[in-house]
Amino acid sequence: MLLTWGVLLVETVRKAGLDTAVSAALTPWRKARAVHDPGKVLLDVALAVALGGDCLADVGMLRAEPAVFGPVASDPTVSRLVDTLAASGEKALAAIRAARAEARARVWKLAQEEAPDADGTVTVDLDGVLVIAHSDKEDAAPTWKRTYGHHPLTGFVDHGPGGTGEPVAALLRPGNAGLNTAADHVTATRLALAQLPKEYRRGRRTLIRTDSAGGTHTFVAWLAKPGRWLSYSVGMTVTEQIHQHVLKVPVSAWTPAVETGGGIRDGAWVAELTGDVLNGWPKGMRLIVRKERPHPGAQLRITDADGMRITCFATNTTGRPIAALELRHRLRARAEDRIRAARATGLRNLPLHTTAQNKIWLEIVQIALDLLAWMPMLALTGQDRLWEPRRMRLRLFTTAGQLVTTGRRRILRLARHWPWTSHITTALERLALLPNPG
């Protein structure tokens, strides 16, 4: 007996061409007469993390199923590889990232209308995440929430209402890293753009969304720089100057906010600010504010007005109603779902001691999250594509099955009474129909 998770994810790796891409990228780190390929070792750890593992030793669950995964390296071999890659610094990280970008471009082509760029645009959400450290690891420090650990800055491609999302950046930072550090936002955006197909690495078809942590002059100017011309939707801190402008907005200038279905959002209005409040910001930037009745029990801030909660964001998008732009920015909240999925997939803690080692771990986590995003994109349909990792593990990855070899064929037998057996078989059929790499 075995678990069907192995077949689904291994097939996704093969169809994406991720195995050959990572193996080729890590060839310089393969020692002479080595038994195990470094690329396969790294992917085996990523598969274990995708299944819920949170340390290098969890690769042992793959070692128990050689019929599915083939030979799996021992724990010492895995640890030595991580140490070797960590010692190579940015060179190894760049190789892994290049392999991921290559496989991502192929997956998006295979997904066709289910790909995140099906409408010709790509949205990248940047957000920070606190990772608690329970021991004295390198660069662990007190955080702004009075905890102790690290403060990575992450980036995720938004799959829209019909999907989840996939990671394209993870910048490891000390726990005391600033929220509004423009240089870190620029670095994370560069990492994210390098993961996208080449046609989306510059130009207005790529939208960068952030919360108010990205609302700095330096970062917005970098996004809008001529020749880069990225679209942006960046949260802004409500300063005293903005607060005074909001108080002067006439009642007739406020437009009702809208919901995703097109209906009016109850108790919320939006307006655009103009004038000297835009002085010093890049040309073409628009500042849009929203006022909304606070939830019962919510405490107002000093920058709120007339009993309304005030928020604002900046964008350079034109030709769309401000209510639609505000809704687009509000959907940035889906990044919180991606962070929750990442915490359940290896980002609950950083298991290694040094910063260099944990940078490799972050790449492993991103590969695991890639697989958990690509498999639904390629093989699942409807509401199944919205399942987060924990639900997929429960419904698809823990099903008992039997792998039978007869003649030259391998047959996977599943329990007929399992409620989601048909979902699994359909997913395997959809993967089988996809062309093989090369």
Side-chain angles (χ1 to χ4, degrees), residues 130-338:
L130 295 180
V131 181
I132 305 302
H134 298 286
S135 60
D136 193 16
K137 296 174 183 177
E138 186 177 8
D139 284 337
T143 72
W144 62 277
K145 278 196 173 182
R146 298 183 179 180
T147 56
Y148 184 79
H150 297 81
H151 187 191
L153 184 59
T154 60
F156 296 90
V157 170
D158 184 20
H159 285 189
T164 54
E166 56 191 283
V168 286
L171 179 64
L172 185 58
R173 305 187 299 168
N176 56 2
L179 295 173
N180 298 91
T181 306
D184 290 345
H185 280 79
V186 169
T187 301
T189 304
R190 288 186 185 276
L191 292 175
L193 294 174
Q195 283 296 307
L196 304 181
K198 290 183 179 180
E199 61 267 29
Y200 297 110
R201 295 178 185 176
R202 65 179 66 245
R204 292 297 170 86
R205 292 194 296 169
T206 300
L207 173 70
I208 305 297
R209 284 192 306 207
T210 75
D211 57 11
S212 59
T216 61
H217 287 78
T218 301
F219 183 54
V220 174
W222 184 87
L223 293 171
K225 184 179 179 180
R228 190 170 290 116
W229 300 119
L230 296 167
S231 295
Y232 60 82
S233 184
V234 177
M236 302 288 286
T237 301
V238 180
T239 62
E240 178 60 25
Q241 184 185 26
I242 292 175
H243 179 67
Q244 293 301 320
H245 274 72
V246 170
L247 295 177
K248 298 175 183 178
V249 176
V251 175
S252 59
W254 291 98
T255 301
V258 297
E259 296 284 13
T260 52
I264 300 299
R265 184 176 177 86
D266 184 44
W269 297 265
V270 295
E272 183 171 359
L273 301 184
T274 57
D276 61 359
V277 73
L278 298 177
N279 290 347
W281 292 94
K283 182 179 179 181
M285 190 187 93
R286 306 172 67 187
L287 191 61
I288 298 173
V289 296
R290 180 185 70 174
K291 66 177 182 179
E292 185 171 21
R293 295 193 192 102
H295 299 295
Q299 192 170 4
L300 293 174
R301 298 167 294 194
I302 193 171
T303 52
D304 294 330
D306 299 327
M308 297 282 189
R309 173 61 50 84
I310 302 298
T311 57
C312 69
F313 69 97
T315 183
N316 59 349
T317 302
T318 59
R320 296 180 62 180
I322 59 174
L325 294 176
E326 191 276 331
L327 173 62
R328 184 186 70 175
H329 183 75
R330 200 184 332 134
L331 292 177
R332 194 203 66 82
R334 283 198 284 249
E336 299 296 333
D337 299 331
R338 308 289 76 78

Side-chain angles (χ1 to χ4, degrees), residues 399-421:
T399 311
Q402 186 176 21
L403 191 63
V404 179
T405 302
T406 173
R408 295 185 179 181
R409 300 177 61 191
R410 302 175 74 192
I411 301 173
L412 177 63
R413 294 177 177 171
L414 303 176
R416 188 182 299 274
H417 61 273
W418 185 252
W420 298 281
T421 291

Side-chain angles (χ1 to χ4, degrees), residues 3 31 85 105 121-122 159 245 253 267 300 318 324 371 373:
L3 302 181
K31 297 181 180 179
L85 296 177
T121 64
V122 174
H159 285 189
H245 274 72
L300 293 174
T318 59
L371 295 177

